[in-house]
Amino acid sequence: MIELTVDNAADYLRQRGWIGAGPVNIELLGGGVSNVVLRVETTEQLFVLKQSQPQLRTRDAWFSDLERVYREQEVMQALAPLLPIYTVPEVLFVDRANYVFAMAHAPRGAKVWKQQLLAGNIDLAFGEYVGRILGCLHEATARNPHLTEPFVDRTVFVQLRVEPFYRRIQERRPEVANAVQPIIDRLMTACDALCHGDYSPKNILTHEHGFTLVDYETAHRGDPTMDLGFCLSHLLLKAIKRSHDRQRHFELTRRFWQGYTAETTFLPPSELQRRGIEHCGVCLLARIDGTSPVDYLPEEAKREAVRRLGRSLLLDRLHQWEEVLARAEEEAR
């Protein structure tokens, strides 16, 4: 296996005929912990090269199968016809022997939603659109189960989500271990729709056409409500980070739900909400005490506020999102 770097990627691409002999600029893209991601620009082309790595770049040891890059490529090709143009990057080239594929670059000028949120740039209509696209993804795959038959294996999802998030919280926060177990059981058995598994602001690249969603390696046919809890936990974490502006962040979550429920009928709204809140509770705790904690909450007082909120969602069995926001308001003050 050739391990790609900024220094050797140009020769690698030329040897395969993916670029010509002319000048090329290659830049290492950050933001993730599990892959080498390179931005490639020539006079005629602009694309992204991605290669999976066996050991993830985290504080705790964390390993995953290299073959996850195959799943990512195949999921992208399956989803592209179901969602608006630019939402799913086009797969351009594939080199399975070296666990590499190339995809179309997001439109020029695209920005990472995570950074916009942390800077206080809150667009409520965009938040609703993010929820709407997730709803479209879940509804389309729930209504067309044949599309997700190739993605029933959960191996990589277990390696990258169940173990470092859910089971790690059972180990490190034993007070919620019993509440987390039935959620894990459902993660391992449900087959409702495609679960992206990493529907996070860091993977949403905003631009004038909407947004481009990246990182599909954890996608599988399973429990789609994990996506709800995962994304909403990130929005709540930013509300606690920017507690002075929490009401706008809270309203963003309401608009997300509004967009999502406008597109979904495959499960009752009450069940989607209940299950999404359970996942949100686990993910809040995981981003403080799991294998991959967030990098923008160093203050112990705020970290403890997140812990209290996560425990409350799991142990008090909240079923309505407004109840969650009321608890978040108490913790974010």
PDB file of all heavy atoms in Angstrom, residues 56 62 155-168 187 196-200 202-203 215 217-218 226 230 283 286-287 292:
ATOM      1  N   LEU A  56      -6.344   5.967  13.875  1.00  0.00           N
ATOM      2  CA  LEU A  56      -6.882   7.322  13.860  1.00  0.00           C
ATOM      3  C   LEU A  56      -6.064   8.228  14.763  1.00  0.00           C
ATOM      4  O   LEU A  56      -5.449   7.777  15.739  1.00  0.00           O
ATOM      5  CB  LEU A  56      -8.351   7.312  14.292  1.00  0.00           C
ATOM      6  CG  LEU A  56      -9.351   6.857  13.208  1.00  0.00           C
ATOM      7  CD1 LEU A  56      -9.156   5.386  12.857  1.00  0.00           C
ATOM      8  CD2 LEU A  56     -10.779   7.101  13.656  1.00  0.00           C
ATOM      9  N   TRP A  62      -7.080   4.091  18.635  1.00  0.00           N
ATOM     10  CA  TRP A  62      -8.338   3.915  17.910  1.00  0.00           C
ATOM     11  C   TRP A  62      -8.001   3.387  16.525  1.00  0.00           C
ATOM     12  O   TRP A  62      -7.300   4.048  15.759  1.00  0.00           O
ATOM     13  CB  TRP A  62      -9.066   5.254  17.843  1.00  0.00           C
ATOM     14  CG  TRP A  62     -10.468   5.224  17.343  1.00  0.00           C
ATOM     15  CD1 TRP A  62     -11.215   4.150  16.968  1.00  0.00           C
ATOM     16  CD2 TRP A  62     -11.322   6.363  17.152  1.00  0.00           C
ATOM     17  NE1 TRP A  62     -12.461   4.543  16.561  1.00  0.00           N
ATOM     18  CE2 TRP A  62     -12.555   5.884  16.670  1.00  0.00           C
ATOM     19  CE3 TRP A  62     -11.157   7.728  17.352  1.00  0.00           C
ATOM     20  CZ2 TRP A  62     -13.619   6.742  16.374  1.00  0.00           C
ATOM     21  CZ3 TRP A  62     -12.202   8.581  17.054  1.00  0.00           C
ATOM     22  CH2 TRP A  62     -13.418   8.095  16.584  1.00  0.00           C
ATOM     23  N   THR A 155     -19.627  -3.241  10.603  1.00  0.00           N
ATOM     24  CA  THR A 155     -18.295  -3.368  11.188  1.00  0.00           C
ATOM     25  C   THR A 155     -17.636  -2.022  11.423  1.00  0.00           C
ATOM     26  O   THR A 155     -17.154  -1.722  12.526  1.00  0.00           O
ATOM     27  CB  THR A 155     -17.395  -4.236  10.294  1.00  0.00           C
ATOM     28  OG1 THR A 155     -17.971  -5.545  10.177  1.00  0.00           O
ATOM     29  CG2 THR A 155     -15.998  -4.350  10.887  1.00  0.00           C
ATOM     30  N   VAL A 156     -17.583  -1.199  10.401  1.00  0.00           N
ATOM     31  CA  VAL A 156     -16.903   0.086  10.533  1.00  0.00           C
ATOM     32  C   VAL A 156     -17.676   1.018  11.453  1.00  0.00           C
ATOM     33  O   VAL A 156     -17.084   1.762  12.249  1.00  0.00           O
ATOM     34  CB  VAL A 156     -16.684   0.724   9.146  1.00  0.00           C
ATOM     35  CG1 VAL A 156     -16.131   2.144   9.279  1.00  0.00           C
ATOM     36  CG2 VAL A 156     -15.721  -0.135   8.327  1.00  0.00           C
ATOM     37  N   PHE A 157     -18.988   0.978  11.397  1.00  0.00           N
ATOM     38  CA  PHE A 157     -19.794   1.796  12.310  1.00  0.00           C
ATOM     39  C   PHE A 157     -19.516   1.418  13.758  1.00  0.00           C
ATOM     40  O   PHE A 157     -19.408   2.288  14.627  1.00  0.00           O
ATOM     41  CB  PHE A 157     -21.280   1.622  11.992  1.00  0.00           C
ATOM     42  CG  PHE A 157     -22.191   2.429  12.868  1.00  0.00           C
ATOM     43  CD1 PHE A 157     -22.248   3.809  12.738  1.00  0.00           C
ATOM     44  CD2 PHE A 157     -22.993   1.820  13.820  1.00  0.00           C
ATOM     45  CE1 PHE A 157     -23.082   4.567  13.541  1.00  0.00           C
ATOM     46  CE2 PHE A 157     -23.833   2.565  14.621  1.00  0.00           C
ATOM     47  CZ  PHE A 157     -23.880   3.946  14.492  1.00  0.00           C
ATOM     48  N   VAL A 158     -19.363   0.139  14.024  1.00  0.00           N
ATOM     49  CA  VAL A 158     -19.023  -0.298  15.383  1.00  0.00           C
ATOM     50  C   VAL A 158     -17.645   0.234  15.772  1.00  0.00           C
ATOM     51  O   VAL A 158     -17.448   0.749  16.881  1.00  0.00           O
ATOM     52  CB  VAL A 158     -19.072  -1.836  15.487  1.00  0.00           C
ATOM     53  CG1 VAL A 158     -18.486  -2.314  16.810  1.00  0.00           C
ATOM     54  CG2 VAL A 158     -20.517  -2.323  15.351  1.00  0.00           C
ATOM     55  N   GLN A 159     -16.685   0.143  14.863  1.00  0.00           N
ATOM     56  CA  GLN A 159     -15.323   0.594  15.157  1.00  0.00           C
ATOM     57  C   GLN A 159     -15.238   2.101  15.374  1.00  0.00           C
ATOM     58  O   GLN A 159     -14.488   2.571  16.239  1.00  0.00           O
ATOM     59  CB  GLN A 159     -14.387   0.196  14.013  1.00  0.00           C
ATOM     60  CG  GLN A 159     -14.170  -1.296  13.878  1.00  0.00           C
ATOM     61  CD  GLN A 159     -13.401  -1.645  12.621  1.00  0.00           C
ATOM     62  OE1 GLN A 159     -13.339  -0.865  11.657  1.00  0.00           O
ATOM     63  NE2 GLN A 159     -12.814  -2.841  12.610  1.00  0.00           N
ATOM     64  N   LEU A 160     -15.997   2.857  14.596  1.00  0.00           N
ATOM     65  CA  LEU A 160     -15.855   4.312  14.624  1.00  0.00           C
ATOM     66  C   LEU A 160     -16.920   5.049  15.423  1.00  0.00           C
ATOM     67  O   LEU A 160     -16.752   6.235  15.726  1.00  0.00           O
ATOM     68  CB  LEU A 160     -15.840   4.861  13.187  1.00  0.00           C
ATOM     69  CG  LEU A 160     -14.669   4.417  12.320  1.00  0.00           C
ATOM     70  CD1 LEU A 160     -14.716   5.134  10.973  1.00  0.00           C
ATOM     71  CD2 LEU A 160     -13.337   4.673  13.000  1.00  0.00           C
ATOM     72  N   ARG A 161     -18.013   4.348  15.781  1.00  0.00           N
ATOM     73  CA  ARG A 161     -19.062   5.017  16.538  1.00  0.00           C
ATOM     74  C   ARG A 161     -19.478   4.229  17.794  1.00  0.00           C
ATOM     75  O   ARG A 161     -19.464   4.759  18.887  1.00  0.00           O
ATOM     76  CB  ARG A 161     -20.291   5.276  15.655  1.00  0.00           C
ATOM     77  CG  ARG A 161     -20.070   6.343  14.601  1.00  0.00           C
ATOM     78  CD  ARG A 161     -19.882   7.714  15.192  1.00  0.00           C
ATOM     79  NE  ARG A 161     -19.481   8.685  14.175  1.00  0.00           N
ATOM     80  CZ  ARG A 161     -18.232   8.990  13.868  1.00  0.00           C
ATOM     81  NH1 ARG A 161     -17.228   8.385  14.478  1.00  0.00           N
ATOM     82  NH2 ARG A 161     -17.953   9.887  12.951  1.00  0.00           N
ATOM     83  N   VAL A 162     -19.860   2.984  17.641  1.00  0.00           N
ATOM     84  CA  VAL A 162     -20.385   2.239  18.785  1.00  0.00           C
ATOM     85  C   VAL A 162     -19.312   2.073  19.865  1.00  0.00           C
ATOM     86  O   VAL A 162     -19.557   2.357  21.048  1.00  0.00           O
ATOM     87  CB  VAL A 162     -20.944   0.869  18.353  1.00  0.00           C
ATOM     88  CG1 VAL A 162     -21.453   0.102  19.568  1.00  0.00           C
ATOM     89  CG2 VAL A 162     -22.077   1.047  17.331  1.00  0.00           C
ATOM     90  N   GLU A 163     -18.131   1.641  19.485  1.00  0.00           N
ATOM     91  CA  GLU A 163     -17.070   1.425  20.472  1.00  0.00           C
ATOM     92  C   GLU A 163     -16.570   2.734  21.086  1.00  0.00           C
ATOM     93  O   GLU A 163     -16.565   2.881  22.314  1.00  0.00           O
ATOM     94  CB  GLU A 163     -15.904   0.653  19.841  1.00  0.00           C
ATOM     95  CG  GLU A 163     -16.235  -0.790  19.505  1.00  0.00           C
ATOM     96  CD  GLU A 163     -16.334  -1.671  20.751  1.00  0.00           C
ATOM     97  OE1 GLU A 163     -15.984  -1.201  21.850  1.00  0.00           O
ATOM     98  OE2 GLU A 163     -16.770  -2.826  20.617  1.00  0.00           O
ATOM     99  N   PRO A 164     -16.135   3.711  20.296  1.00  0.00           N
ATOM    100  CA  PRO A 164     -15.538   4.915  20.896  1.00  0.00           C
ATOM    101  C   PRO A 164     -16.534   5.894  21.487  1.00  0.00           C
ATOM    102  O   PRO A 164     -16.152   6.756  22.277  1.00  0.00           O
ATOM    103  CB  PRO A 164     -14.786   5.556  19.719  1.00  0.00           C
ATOM    104  CG  PRO A 164     -15.543   5.107  18.518  1.00  0.00           C
ATOM    105  CD  PRO A 164     -16.027   3.721  18.831  1.00  0.00           C
ATOM    106  N   PHE A 165     -17.808   5.785  21.127  1.00  0.00           N
ATOM    107  CA  PHE A 165     -18.825   6.682  21.657  1.00  0.00           C
ATOM    108  C   PHE A 165     -19.692   5.970  22.695  1.00  0.00           C
ATOM    109  O   PHE A 165     -19.640   6.270  23.879  1.00  0.00           O
ATOM    110  CB  PHE A 165     -19.700   7.223  20.524  1.00  0.00           C
ATOM    111  CG  PHE A 165     -19.028   8.286  19.695  1.00  0.00           C
ATOM    112  CD1 PHE A 165     -17.960   7.978  18.860  1.00  0.00           C
ATOM    113  CD2 PHE A 165     -19.454   9.603  19.739  1.00  0.00           C
ATOM    114  CE1 PHE A 165     -17.341   8.946  18.093  1.00  0.00           C
ATOM    115  CE2 PHE A 165     -18.850  10.584  18.972  1.00  0.00           C
ATOM    116  CZ  PHE A 165     -17.785  10.259  18.148  1.00  0.00           C
ATOM    117  N   TYR A 166     -20.474   5.014  22.275  1.00  0.00           N
ATOM    118  CA  TYR A 166     -21.494   4.416  23.124  1.00  0.00           C
ATOM    119  C   TYR A 166     -20.889   3.497  24.196  1.00  0.00           C
ATOM    120  O   TYR A 166     -21.200   3.638  25.385  1.00  0.00           O
ATOM    121  CB  TYR A 166     -22.510   3.659  22.266  1.00  0.00           C
ATOM    122  CG  TYR A 166     -23.350   4.595  21.413  1.00  0.00           C
ATOM    123  CD1 TYR A 166     -22.818   5.194  20.272  1.00  0.00           C
ATOM    124  CD2 TYR A 166     -24.670   4.885  21.752  1.00  0.00           C
ATOM    125  CE1 TYR A 166     -23.574   6.064  19.501  1.00  0.00           C
ATOM    126  CE2 TYR A 166     -25.435   5.743  20.977  1.00  0.00           C
ATOM    127  CZ  TYR A 166     -24.879   6.337  19.860  1.00  0.00           C
ATOM    128  OH  TYR A 166     -25.629   7.201  19.107  1.00  0.00           O
ATOM    129  N   ARG A 167     -20.042   2.567  23.782  1.00  0.00           N
ATOM    130  CA  ARG A 167     -19.473   1.643  24.776  1.00  0.00           C
ATOM    131  C   ARG A 167     -18.434   2.334  25.656  1.00  0.00           C
ATOM    132  O   ARG A 167     -18.293   1.981  26.827  1.00  0.00           O
ATOM    133  CB  ARG A 167     -18.892   0.421  24.067  1.00  0.00           C
ATOM    134  CG  ARG A 167     -20.005  -0.461  23.482  1.00  0.00           C
ATOM    135  CD  ARG A 167     -19.486  -1.693  22.797  1.00  0.00           C
ATOM    136  NE  ARG A 167     -20.616  -2.514  22.323  1.00  0.00           N
ATOM    137  CZ  ARG A 167     -20.585  -3.278  21.240  1.00  0.00           C
ATOM    138  NH1 ARG A 167     -19.478  -3.341  20.514  1.00  0.00           N
ATOM    139  NH2 ARG A 167     -21.639  -3.981  20.881  1.00  0.00           N
ATOM    140  N   ARG A 168     -17.742   3.307  25.110  1.00  0.00           N
ATOM    141  CA  ARG A 168     -16.788   4.036  25.945  1.00  0.00           C
ATOM    142  C   ARG A 168     -17.498   4.817  27.042  1.00  0.00           C
ATOM    143  O   ARG A 168     -17.015   4.902  28.174  1.00  0.00           O
ATOM    144  CB  ARG A 168     -15.952   4.994  25.091  1.00  0.00           C
ATOM    145  CG  ARG A 168     -14.678   5.474  25.765  1.00  0.00           C
ATOM    146  CD  ARG A 168     -13.653   4.334  25.890  1.00  0.00           C
ATOM    147  NE  ARG A 168     -13.143   3.972  24.576  1.00  0.00           N
ATOM    148  CZ  ARG A 168     -13.382   2.804  23.962  1.00  0.00           C
ATOM    149  NH1 ARG A 168     -14.122   1.878  24.557  1.00  0.00           N
ATOM    150  NH2 ARG A 168     -12.895   2.535  22.770  1.00  0.00           N
ATOM    151  N   LEU A 187     -29.012   0.004  17.903  1.00  0.00           N
ATOM    152  CA  LEU A 187     -28.031   0.317  16.866  1.00  0.00           C
ATOM    153  C   LEU A 187     -27.579  -0.931  16.119  1.00  0.00           C
ATOM    154  O   LEU A 187     -27.280  -0.881  14.927  1.00  0.00           O
ATOM    155  CB  LEU A 187     -26.807   0.992  17.490  1.00  0.00           C
ATOM    156  CG  LEU A 187     -26.900   2.475  17.837  1.00  0.00           C
ATOM    157  CD1 LEU A 187     -25.639   2.922  18.570  1.00  0.00           C
ATOM    158  CD2 LEU A 187     -27.106   3.323  16.583  1.00  0.00           C
ATOM    159  N   HIS A 196     -26.187   7.835   8.160  1.00  0.00           N
ATOM    160  CA  HIS A 196     -24.917   8.392   7.695  1.00  0.00           C
ATOM    161  C   HIS A 196     -23.822   8.140   8.716  1.00  0.00           C
ATOM    162  O   HIS A 196     -22.690   7.800   8.376  1.00  0.00           O
ATOM    163  CB  HIS A 196     -25.083   9.892   7.431  1.00  0.00           C
ATOM    164  CG  HIS A 196     -23.845  10.574   6.944  1.00  0.00           C
ATOM    165  ND1 HIS A 196     -22.873  11.041   7.794  1.00  0.00           N
ATOM    166  CD2 HIS A 196     -23.425  10.888   5.696  1.00  0.00           C
ATOM    167  CE1 HIS A 196     -21.894  11.597   7.095  1.00  0.00           C
ATOM    168  NE2 HIS A 196     -22.216  11.520   5.816  1.00  0.00           N
ATOM    169  N   GLY A 197     -24.133   8.346   9.985  1.00  0.00           N
ATOM    170  CA  GLY A 197     -23.195   8.043  11.052  1.00  0.00           C
ATOM    171  C   GLY A 197     -22.219   9.141  11.396  1.00  0.00           C
ATOM    172  O   GLY A 197     -21.504   9.047  12.394  1.00  0.00           O
ATOM    173  N   ASP A 198     -22.182  10.208  10.586  1.00  0.00           N
ATOM    174  CA  ASP A 198     -21.260  11.322  10.862  1.00  0.00           C
ATOM    175  C   ASP A 198     -21.868  12.629  10.355  1.00  0.00           C
ATOM    176  O   ASP A 198     -21.169  13.474   9.790  1.00  0.00           O
ATOM    177  CB  ASP A 198     -19.906  11.071  10.195  1.00  0.00           C
ATOM    178  CG  ASP A 198     -18.758  11.825  10.868  1.00  0.00           C
ATOM    179  OD1 ASP A 198     -19.007  12.518  11.871  1.00  0.00           O
ATOM    180  OD2 ASP A 198     -17.623  11.724  10.382  1.00  0.00           O
ATOM    181  N   TYR A 199     -23.176  12.774  10.564  1.00  0.00           N
ATOM    182  CA  TYR A 199     -23.891  13.958  10.086  1.00  0.00           C
ATOM    183  C   TYR A 199     -23.616  15.100  11.056  1.00  0.00           C
ATOM    184  O   TYR A 199     -24.365  15.365  11.987  1.00  0.00           O
ATOM    185  CB  TYR A 199     -25.387  13.664   9.984  1.00  0.00           C
ATOM    186  CG  TYR A 199     -26.151  14.580   9.052  1.00  0.00           C
ATOM    187  CD1 TYR A 199     -26.098  14.399   7.673  1.00  0.00           C
ATOM    188  CD2 TYR A 199     -26.925  15.622   9.549  1.00  0.00           C
ATOM    189  CE1 TYR A 199     -26.807  15.228   6.814  1.00  0.00           C
ATOM    190  CE2 TYR A 199     -27.642  16.455   8.701  1.00  0.00           C
ATOM    191  CZ  TYR A 199     -27.578  16.258   7.333  1.00  0.00           C
ATOM    192  OH  TYR A 199     -28.280  17.091   6.479  1.00  0.00           O
ATOM    193  N   SER A 200     -22.514  15.772  10.814  1.00  0.00           N
ATOM    194  CA  SER A 200     -21.960  16.739  11.753  1.00  0.00           C
ATOM    195  C   SER A 200     -21.647  18.049  11.044  1.00  0.00           C
ATOM    196  O   SER A 200     -21.331  18.052   9.842  1.00  0.00           O
ATOM    197  CB  SER A 200     -20.679  16.157  12.352  1.00  0.00           C
ATOM    198  OG  SER A 200     -19.859  17.145  12.911  1.00  0.00           O
ATOM    199  N   LYS A 202     -19.020  19.665  10.978  1.00  0.00           N
ATOM    200  CA  LYS A 202     -17.685  19.663  10.373  1.00  0.00           C
ATOM    201  C   LYS A 202     -17.694  19.007   8.996  1.00  0.00           C
ATOM    202  O   LYS A 202     -16.761  19.207   8.207  1.00  0.00           O
ATOM    203  CB  LYS A 202     -16.675  18.951  11.277  1.00  0.00           C
ATOM    204  CG  LYS A 202     -16.762  17.446  11.297  1.00  0.00           C
ATOM    205  CD  LYS A 202     -15.655  16.816  12.119  1.00  0.00           C
ATOM    206  CE  LYS A 202     -15.800  15.299  12.171  1.00  0.00           C
ATOM    207  NZ  LYS A 202     -15.712  14.654  10.838  1.00  0.00           N
ATOM    208  N   ASN A 203     -18.728  18.230   8.694  1.00  0.00           N
ATOM    209  CA  ASN A 203     -18.829  17.544   7.408  1.00  0.00           C
ATOM    210  C   ASN A 203     -19.822  18.206   6.461  1.00  0.00           C
ATOM    211  O   ASN A 203     -20.164  17.629   5.429  1.00  0.00           O
ATOM    212  CB  ASN A 203     -19.226  16.084   7.626  1.00  0.00           C
ATOM    213  CG  ASN A 203     -18.128  15.290   8.294  1.00  0.00           C
ATOM    214  OD1 ASN A 203     -16.951  15.577   8.098  1.00  0.00           O
ATOM    215  ND2 ASN A 203     -18.499  14.310   9.094  1.00  0.00           N
ATOM    216  N   ASP A 215     -17.781  12.602   4.125  1.00  0.00           N
ATOM    217  CA  ASP A 215     -17.477  11.576   5.135  1.00  0.00           C
ATOM    218  C   ASP A 215     -18.618  10.570   5.328  1.00  0.00           C
ATOM    219  O   ASP A 215     -19.406  10.665   6.264  1.00  0.00           O
ATOM    220  CB  ASP A 215     -17.103  12.215   6.473  1.00  0.00           C
ATOM    221  CG  ASP A 215     -15.666  12.721   6.477  1.00  0.00           C
ATOM    222  OD1 ASP A 215     -15.002  12.610   5.428  1.00  0.00           O
ATOM    223  OD2 ASP A 215     -15.215  13.219   7.513  1.00  0.00           O
ATOM    224  N   GLU A 217     -18.006   7.121   5.529  1.00  0.00           N
ATOM    225  CA  GLU A 217     -17.404   5.825   5.828  1.00  0.00           C
ATOM    226  C   GLU A 217     -18.149   5.052   6.913  1.00  0.00           C
ATOM    227  O   GLU A 217     -18.031   3.825   6.990  1.00  0.00           O
ATOM    228  CB  GLU A 217     -15.935   6.010   6.204  1.00  0.00           C
ATOM    229  CG  GLU A 217     -15.696   6.876   7.411  1.00  0.00           C
ATOM    230  CD  GLU A 217     -14.223   7.270   7.536  1.00  0.00           C
ATOM    231  OE1 GLU A 217     -13.415   6.822   6.717  1.00  0.00           O
ATOM    232  OE2 GLU A 217     -13.902   8.023   8.469  1.00  0.00           O
ATOM    233  N   THR A 218     -18.901   5.732   7.772  1.00  0.00           N
ATOM    234  CA  THR A 218     -19.674   5.035   8.807  1.00  0.00           C
ATOM    235  C   THR A 218     -21.103   4.732   8.370  1.00  0.00           C
ATOM    236  O   THR A 218     -21.891   4.183   9.145  1.00  0.00           O
ATOM    237  CB  THR A 218     -19.721   5.870  10.096  1.00  0.00           C
ATOM    238  OG1 THR A 218     -20.181   7.196   9.787  1.00  0.00           O
ATOM    239  CG2 THR A 218     -18.356   5.957  10.755  1.00  0.00           C
ATOM    240  N   MET A 226     -29.862   7.822  14.981  1.00  0.00           N
ATOM    241  CA  MET A 226     -28.525   8.151  15.469  1.00  0.00           C
ATOM    242  C   MET A 226     -28.053   9.453  14.828  1.00  0.00           C
ATOM    243  O   MET A 226     -27.408  10.291  15.479  1.00  0.00           O
ATOM    244  CB  MET A 226     -27.555   7.007  15.148  1.00  0.00           C
ATOM    245  CG  MET A 226     -26.147   7.209  15.681  1.00  0.00           C
ATOM    246  SD  MET A 226     -25.068   8.079  14.505  1.00  0.00           S
ATOM    247  CE  MET A 226     -23.586   8.247  15.468  1.00  0.00           C
ATOM    248  N   PHE A 230     -26.768  12.701  16.881  1.00  0.00           N
ATOM    249  CA  PHE A 230     -25.383  13.082  16.633  1.00  0.00           C
ATOM    250  C   PHE A 230     -25.298  14.552  16.212  1.00  0.00           C
ATOM    251  O   PHE A 230     -24.517  15.330  16.767  1.00  0.00           O
ATOM    252  CB  PHE A 230     -24.802  12.179  15.546  1.00  0.00           C
ATOM    253  CG  PHE A 230     -23.313  12.277  15.383  1.00  0.00           C
ATOM    254  CD1 PHE A 230     -22.465  11.661  16.286  1.00  0.00           C
ATOM    255  CD2 PHE A 230     -22.750  12.957  14.312  1.00  0.00           C
ATOM    256  CE1 PHE A 230     -21.082  11.730  16.131  1.00  0.00           C
ATOM    257  CE2 PHE A 230     -21.383  13.037  14.152  1.00  0.00           C
ATOM    258  CZ  PHE A 230     -20.542  12.416  15.065  1.00  0.00           C
ATOM    259  N   CYS A 283     -24.336  11.085  22.778  1.00  0.00           N
ATOM    260  CA  CYS A 283     -23.326  11.811  22.000  1.00  0.00           C
ATOM    261  C   CYS A 283     -22.795  13.025  22.753  1.00  0.00           C
ATOM    262  O   CYS A 283     -21.611  13.365  22.628  1.00  0.00           O
ATOM    263  CB  CYS A 283     -23.904  12.218  20.649  1.00  0.00           C
ATOM    264  SG  CYS A 283     -24.221  10.801  19.549  1.00  0.00           S
ATOM    265  N   ALA A 286     -20.296  11.579  25.001  1.00  0.00           N
ATOM    266  CA  ALA A 286     -19.157  11.057  24.245  1.00  0.00           C
ATOM    267  C   ALA A 286     -18.218  12.167  23.791  1.00  0.00           C
ATOM    268  O   ALA A 286     -17.006  11.956  23.702  1.00  0.00           O
ATOM    269  CB  ALA A 286     -19.651  10.258  23.048  1.00  0.00           C
ATOM    270  N   ARG A 287     -18.763  13.351  23.509  1.00  0.00           N
ATOM    271  CA  ARG A 287     -17.895  14.426  23.039  1.00  0.00           C
ATOM    272  C   ARG A 287     -17.157  15.116  24.178  1.00  0.00           C
ATOM    273  O   ARG A 287     -16.319  16.001  23.947  1.00  0.00           O
ATOM    274  CB  ARG A 287     -18.694  15.454  22.240  1.00  0.00           C
ATOM    275  CG  ARG A 287     -19.338  14.938  20.960  1.00  0.00           C
ATOM    276  CD  ARG A 287     -18.567  13.848  20.242  1.00  0.00           C
ATOM    277  NE  ARG A 287     -17.270  14.235  19.747  1.00  0.00           N
ATOM    278  CZ  ARG A 287     -16.963  14.444  18.472  1.00  0.00           C
ATOM    279  NH1 ARG A 287     -17.896  14.287  17.559  1.00  0.00           N
ATOM    280  NH2 ARG A 287     -15.754  14.766  18.116  1.00  0.00           N
ATOM    281  N   SER A 292     -13.035  10.609  21.375  1.00  0.00           N
ATOM    282  CA  SER A 292     -12.752  11.782  20.545  1.00  0.00           C
ATOM    283  C   SER A 292     -13.519  12.999  21.062  1.00  0.00           C
ATOM    284  O   SER A 292     -14.528  13.413  20.488  1.00  0.00           O
ATOM    285  CB  SER A 292     -13.143  11.490  19.090  1.00  0.00           C
ATOM    286  OG  SER A 292     -12.872  12.599  18.252  1.00  0.00           O
TER     287      SER A 292
END
